[in-house]
Amino acid sequence: MLKHLFKLIWNKKKQNFLLMSEMLFSFLVLFAVFTLLVYYYNNYKKPMGFEYKNLWVVSYNNTFKSKSTDSVNRYYETLRSTIKAMPEIRELSFCSNNVPFSNSMWTSLVTYNKKQTSPVNWYTSDDGYKEALNAKVLEGRWFNKADAIGKYEHVVINNELKEKIFGSETAIGKVLGNADDKQRMQIIGVIQGVKVKGDYAPSGYALYHRADTGAFRWFGKIMVKVAPNTGAAFEARLYKTLANYMKDSNVEIEHMVNKRTNINYFTLVPMIVLTIVGSFLIINVALGLFGVLWYNINRRRGEIGLRRAVGATGGSVSSQLITESMILATISLIVGTFFAVQFPILNVFDLSAGIYLMAILLAVIFIYALVFVCSLYPGRQAAAIYPAVALHEE
Amino acid sequence: MLKNYFKIAIAVLRRRKFFTFISLFGISFTLTILLVLTSFIEKIVGDSYPDRKRDRSLYISKFQSKEKDGNSSSALSYYYLSHYVGGLKTPVKLGISSGYNGTNTYVNNKKLAVNYKYTNADYWDIMEYDFIEGKALTKQQVDNADKVAVISEDMKRDYFGDVPSVVGKYIEADNVKYKVTGVVKNVPITSYMIYSDIYLPFTVSKTDFRKGKGYQGDFYGIMLANSTADLSKMCAEYDAMVQRLPKENKNVVKMYSHADSYIVSYVNTGNEDKSGVTIVLTAIGIFVLLVTLLPSLNLVNINITRIMERSSEIGVRKAFGASSKTLVYQFIVENIILTLLGGLIGVVLSFVAIQVLNGFNLIPNLILSVNFTVLAIGLLICFLFGLLSGVYPAWRMSKLNVVTALKAQ
């Protein structure tokens, strides 16, 4: 039966060629849209890794100028205790500029056993950072004062980096090197990845350094965790305190909740636009397929009438027509999948192969469903043809 | 003759309403997508408020220095712009402004996020802001480091509420009080080199920009030439100046910076190896191709189907001596009529879509509109669409054999 259907299709290859190319392009468009959706959804499923509610970030520039590191440190430690003394403040931490949901990035390499991993985000922060962000420690511990001295610098990494380098082994106590394997760093803890680029982006590899004595010279952010339901009145007071203390700096306070909305916007808007455009293209294609199939069946009334006259049931006629369209779809999907499979093979865009395969699978199912639905009605119509009428027309 | 074709086209359209609907739907929707995209691009790069002298200005937005162990690229320092660029002969004015930075202000226990921007006095001579009240910053105010500010309409409304005039009043931002000298019409944030809520003289900054000898910083430069004829000269002079720049340190291998037209500098990636223009054009090209390819294929499919329905008509005309050329011509004209009809619907849909988008107010102050340029592009797209989807079916049709065509009845 299939062989016979192939012959029928082959005889009308010119007509079918256009139909098939249309299916092929729809498949490719769907593949692109689904890849994006699956990628975003995969990231969305993972935990945030920190609590952004009641978390504010203070930015300041023009750090305190002084020749002596001690007086710089004293200056900021005074500020720290001033703020910490406020009852609404739960925790605060000075840190490098690459705070969550900001556009600032600082990436480098790490080396372990001569193997380099990149890009790794380098964060620098002090001991209160974990508490401020409410990050989750999976193994080992976060920094404390005891980490200031030691043979190696102590660092904390995130789970993604640990999985990448150590797999299922423990990472605690292992020693990493930087890009040229000079600076040695001993891992003392592993935390859950913090999604710094919003809900729909991966957390990436991360490595946390403990602030050393000179860090205040280049820090420019303070993460502040406040009590729930702290309002603008307190914020204004905090702002005045900061601005009056740091007279030479421009100060800004931002809420992580708003920053998250903004950064998600950048992923959501393209996603919504693509989905709208994609779905209208698909509606367009569906209507076209429907029209062409319907027309083709109308032209084959004689053939169908003859089959009915010889004794074929209505069901077998309509299933023949549906199978024909399904074979057309299969041929275009084979070609389309051949193109789509190149993406995981050549590792384009650095996404995991699973995402591409899932997208291919979804797109294939979608196209089959589409073609099936579009050929259902014309098939039913064909089944309803009376042989006497159809044969009379000829 | 055309009138006849028109009549035939309308008659054919009314024959199979479902197919007509499919064709029109495909054309009009594709056109809507493309028109909204065009109007968006038009607004972002084509709307020349407030820098109306774009045709004789060159913009400097990035400075890249290639070093032995990496690359650094950012906007420019005040020192570089005033000292090196200020020394050029051709520009009559040099506007210097910082990028916008955020700070807060608190009014009656309400927080306002404020973006501020530092400018020099020339900036206000080059720009032609629409002043709702008051006037621009003067050279004297900048030189004296007066604490004065020009604010945007939105800022006025958010900070002062609904009061008729605010010139002379004080606005507090970043814990400093500034006297308002003028209120200007809003600029959307997408014009990132020009947008701000508050414009301040660069001399009032807590950082003294005149110190420091580095080339990179947070400033953009706009050079104004005497006439459009001087642009190429100005560009060449700038490039020569960059060639002669002393190296900042031993590690610097090469330095790049360009004075470009607004659009080129707008998409500047700050990396010599990655041209922003190419990236943007490729992205737009791929998008347009995808959006138009599928509906085109669809139209070709539908058109072939419809033509085959008319095989008897074609056979009769051929039998009476009509040449293939005439038939092809007729069919393409018919198809163009169809696409233009779809185009009309598309334009109406675009109006609706743009109204809806403006209603959402996704980007504050970015008001999309359908103007003559956008419409002209839309018409052109329709025309091409009609040609593209008409040529292949018409060619197929013209090859029909008279005898088979007549027998098909």
Side-chain angles (χ1 to χ4, degrees):
Chain A
M1 183 70 199
L2 274 180
K3 213 169 123 184
H4 173 70
L5 286 180
F6 267 111
K7 192 177 278 176
L8 281 179
I9 288 171
W10 184 250
N11 287 343
K12 291 199 298 277
K13 54 185 174 295
K14 239 187 184 159
Q15 258 174 3
N16 290 331
F17 173 74
L18 274 169
L19 259 183
M20 286 199 299
S21 51
E22 202 171 331
M23 289 177 191
L24 170 67
F25 281 115
S26 336
F27 169 78
L28 291 178
V29 169
L30 280 172
F31 168 66
V33 173
F34 278 130
T35 303
L36 201 73
L37 291 180
V38 170
Y39 172 70
Y40 282 163
Y41 178 70
N42 267 356
N43 295 327
Y44 181 73
K45 268 193 327 205
K46 294 194 178 112
M48 205 72 198
F50 77 113
E51 248 177 74
Y52 49 85
K53 287 184 183 118
N54 308 317
L55 184 63
W56 298 351
V57 56
V58 177
S59 313
Y60 60 94
N61 60 0
N62 286 347
T63 39
F64 182 70
K65 300 274 185 297
S66 164
K67 282 272 187 300
S68 103
T69 307
D70 279 349
S71 59
V72 174
N73 289 353
R74 234 189 342 266
Y75 178 84
Y76 285 109
E77 288 301 343
T78 313
L79 176 65
R80 185 202 300 270
S81 38
T82 314
I83 300 174
K84 198 127 190 207
M86 295 177 166
E88 290 89 347
I89 302 284
R90 291 277 179 273
E91 183 62 62
L92 74 138
S93 163
F94 284 81
C95 57
S96 51
N97 277 327
N98 45 2
V99 292
F101 307 151
S102 71
N103 289 326
S104 156
M105 285 169 73
W106 182 20
T107 58
S108 183
L109 303 162
V110 295
T111 320
Y112 181 72
N113 274 351
K114 300 276 182 295
K115 264 208 359 226
Q116 290 193 329
T117 309
S118 76
V120 180
N121 286 294
W122 290 45
Y123 301 94
T124 307
S125 62
D126 57 27
D127 301 345
Y129 194 74
K130 174 197 151 279
E131 281 302 314
L133 265 69
N134 207 351
K136 204 169 150 213
V137 176
L138 302 175
E139 260 188 281
R141 58 179 180 83
W142 187 258
F143 304 119
N144 58 35
K145 280 205 172 60
D147 292 309
I149 37 175
K151 186 177 165 199
Y152 300 118
E153 184 203 353
H154 286 176
V155 293
V156 172
I157 59 173
N158 75 351
N159 202 25
E160 276 77 1
L161 186 61
K162 179 222 150 198
E163 295 277 323
K164 167 88 177 136
I165 299 181
F166 304 103
S168 55
E169 295 171 35
T170 174
I172 307 297
K174 300 268 171 47
V175 178
L176 298 172
N178 67 344
D180 44 17
D181 223 356
K182 289 241 170 36
Q183 184 187 342
R184 313 293 287 164
M185 303 168 284
Q186 187 169 32
I187 300 166
I188 58 158
V190 178
I191 62 165
Q192 189 156 55
V194 173
K195 287 202 276 188
V196 287
K197 293 284 173 210
D199 292 76
Y200 304 98
S203 53
Y205 306 132
L207 184 129
Y208 297 84
H209 295 268
R210 185 174 185 272
D212 56 5
T213 44
F216 278 125
R217 287 189 180 280
W218 55 269
F219 273 172
K221 302 269 180 196
I222 313 171
M223 304 292 277
V224 180
K225 188 181 178 180
V226 293
N229 309 326
T230 307
F234 167 71
E235 196 182 331
R237 225 172 57 229
L238 174 68
Y239 187 86
K240 276 271 187 267
T241 314
L242 289 161
N244 287 335
Y245 187 82
M246 299 191 276
K247 282 251 184 294
D248 291 342
S249 305
N250 302 85
V251 179
E252 182 183 20
I253 300 178
E254 290 170 293
H255 292 205
M256 277 294 172
V257 178
N258 304 342
K259 282 181 84 80
R260 169 175 168 255
T261 318
N262 286 342
I263 204 155
N264 281 345
Y265 209 62
F266 278 95
T267 39
L268 279 173
V269 169
M271 188 156 78
I272 292 166
V273 168
L274 276 177
T275 316
I276 290 175
V277 170
S279 50
F280 272 95
L281 283 178
I282 297 307
I283 291 174
N284 203 347
V285 168
L287 285 172
L289 276 180
F290 182 81
V292 172
L293 288 171
W294 181 60
Y295 175 77
N296 282 348
I297 284 161
N298 267 329
R299 285 211 10 229
R300 291 164 65 183
R301 290 174 77 93
E303 172 200 336
I304 292 163
L306 200 57
R307 278 202 61 198
R308 291 296 308 266
V310 179
T313 58
S316 74
V317 168
S318 68
S319 72
Q320 178 208 339
L321 290 170
I322 292 174
T323 321
E324 267 184 44
S325 350
M326 285 306 206
I327 290 174
L328 283 184
T330 310
I331 296 173
S332 8
L333 287 177
I334 289 170
V335 178
T337 311
F338 168 76
F339 283 118
V341 163
Q342 303 307 313
F343 281 80
I345 290 176
L346 300 172
N347 201 4
V348 192
F349 303 128
D350 223 11
L351 296 179
S352 73
I355 292 174
Y356 285 126
L357 294 177
M358 189 73 206
I360 291 174
L361 186 72
L362 284 172
V364 166
I365 292 170
F366 200 99
I367 292 279
Y368 270 136
L370 192 80
V371 172
F372 181 76
V373 169
C374 287
S375 49
L376 205 59
Y377 178 72
R380 291 254 317 272
Q381 257 205 327
I385 291 172
Y386 287 110
V389 179
L391 290 171
H392 177 79
E393 275 177 9
E394 276 294 288
Chain B
M1 199 69 228
L2 268 176
K3 201 170 129 190
N4 266 345
Y5 287 166
F6 192 80
K7 276 184 185 161
I8 295 173
I10 299 297
V12 171
L13 283 186
R14 290 169 59 182
R15 199 178 298 157
R16 282 242 189 249
K17 292 201 175 56
F18 178 64
F19 281 179
T20 309
F21 164 75
I22 295 174
S23 312
L24 291 181
F25 175 86
I27 298 162
S28 56
F29 192 77
T30 310
L31 192 74
T32 307
I33 292 178
L34 293 177
L35 278 186
V36 171
L37 179 75
T38 326
S39 115
F40 194 74
I41 294 171
E42 236 277 320
K43 176 75 199 178
I44 285 184
V45 296
D47 178 28
S48 57
Y49 171 79
D51 43 346
R52 296 207 174 96
K53 301 190 183 98
R54 250 181 224 187
D55 56 341
R56 54 191 181 100
S57 314
L58 287 179
Y59 295 73
I60 309 159
S61 60
K62 287 279 195 298
F63 188 94
Q64 181 193 0
S65 73
K66 252 203 171 101
E67 289 163 19
K68 282 190 185 107
D69 51 357
N71 238 322
S72 73
S73 143
S74 76
L76 311 110
S77 69
Y78 180 83
Y79 166 77
Y80 170 86
L81 285 168
S82 60
H83 184 267
Y84 291 102
V85 185
L88 299 180
K89 302 271 185 300
T90 326
V92 280
K93 296 244 180 242
L94 169 64
I96 300 177
S97 65
S98 70
Y100 61 88
N101 285 302
T103 182
N104 311 124
T105 178
Y106 298 85
V107 202
N108 338 326
N109 276 345
K110 202 175 91 215
K111 173 182 171 175
L112 285 182
V114 183
N115 287 310
Y116 63 94
K117 178 187 193 70
Y118 296 114
T119 67
N120 69 350
D122 268 5
Y123 177 88
W124 296 95
D125 296 335
I126 296 175
M127 295 290 158
E128 297 179 11
Y129 281 94
D130 293 342
F131 278 85
I132 290 156
E133 55 170 319
K135 51 187 192 303
L137 304 175
T138 62
K139 188 162 175 5
Q140 198 177 357
Q141 285 169 328
V142 175
D143 290 347
N144 298 349
D146 289 345
K147 291 201 169 12
V148 287
V150 171
I151 63 174
S152 73
E153 266 177 291
D154 281 355
M155 196 68 231
K156 171 188 165 182
R157 197 195 53 232
D158 294 343
Y159 192 89
F160 296 103
D162 254 343
V163 288
S165 168
V166 295
V167 169
K169 290 191 177 171
Y170 285 88
I171 185 168
E172 184 180 314
D174 208 4
N175 220 16
V176 180
K177 281 192 160 49
Y178 298 99
K179 192 173 172 183
V180 177
T181 67
V183 180
V184 292
K185 199 178 126 195
N186 294 318
V187 179
I189 197 162
T190 44
S191 313
Y192 63 93
M193 293 190 245
I194 297 152
Y195 157 85
S196 185
D197 299 322
I198 300 189
Y199 301 84
L200 304 168
F202 75 94
T203 40
V204 304
S205 160
K206 293 172 180 176
T207 321
D208 191 352
F209 296 117
R210 284 162 294 192
K211 285 183 191 158
K213 293 272 188 269
Y215 298 152
Q216 294 186 332
D218 182 36
F219 283 87
Y220 302 117
I222 305 172
M223 299 191 289
L224 186 73
N226 233 334
S227 65
T228 43
D230 281 349
L231 279 189
S232 53
K233 193 170 135 197
M234 192 156 78
C235 189
E237 194 184 5
Y238 183 85
D239 286 342
M241 185 274 294
V242 174
Q243 292 299 332
R244 287 198 310 270
L245 274 182
K247 288 191 175 157
E248 277 187 282
N249 58 43
K250 294 195 299 293
N251 284 335
V252 178
V253 183
K254 204 162 167 37
M255 293 172 289
Y256 303 95
S257 176
H258 302 285
D260 298 309
S261 63
Y262 179 79
I263 296 174
V264 177
S265 80
Y266 187 88
V267 295
N268 192 337
T269 54
N271 187 342
E272 204 62 19
D273 312 327
K274 287 190 189 146
S275 156
V277 179
T278 320
I279 292 172
V280 171
L281 285 182
T282 320
I284 293 175
I286 289 173
F287 182 81
V288 168
L289 190 76
L290 268 181
V291 171
T292 49
L293 196 66
L294 271 173
S296 302
L297 271 173
N298 218 352
L299 268 185
V300 170
N301 256 328
I302 299 268
N303 281 338
I304 286 184
T305 311
R306 299 191 95 163
I307 283 194
M308 293 309 152
E309 277 196 315
R310 295 164 65 186
S311 65
S312 54
E313 176 196 338
I314 293 158
V316 170
R317 287 198 57 190
K318 273 194 150 180
F320 278 81
S323 69
S324 294
K325 220 167 103 182
T326 324
L327 286 172
V328 167
Y329 171 66
Q330 175 196 338
F331 190 74
I332 289 179
V333 170
E334 268 183 31
N335 201 39
I336 285 175
I337 289 170
L338 174 74
T339 35
L340 287 183
L341 196 66
L344 274 180
I345 301 172
V347 169
V348 174
L349 279 180
S350 315
F351 268 109
V352 174
I354 281 174
Q355 288 306 326
V356 170
L357 278 178
N358 284 341
F360 279 147
N361 205 5
L362 288 173
I363 301 169
N365 302 322
L366 190 86
I367 311 294
L368 296 179
S369 58
V370 178
N371 60 13
F372 187 72
T373 326
V374 177
L375 279 182
I377 288 175
L379 201 72
L380 189 76
I381 293 171
C382 265
F383 196 75
L384 282 175
F385 224 63
L387 269 180
L388 270 179
S389 59
V391 167
Y392 176 73
W395 174 78
R396 279 271 303 264
M397 170 191 77
S398 67
K399 289 187 39 170
L400 267 182
N401 199 323
V402 181
V403 182
T404 38
L406 285 172
K407 187 179 163 289
Q409 271 308 77

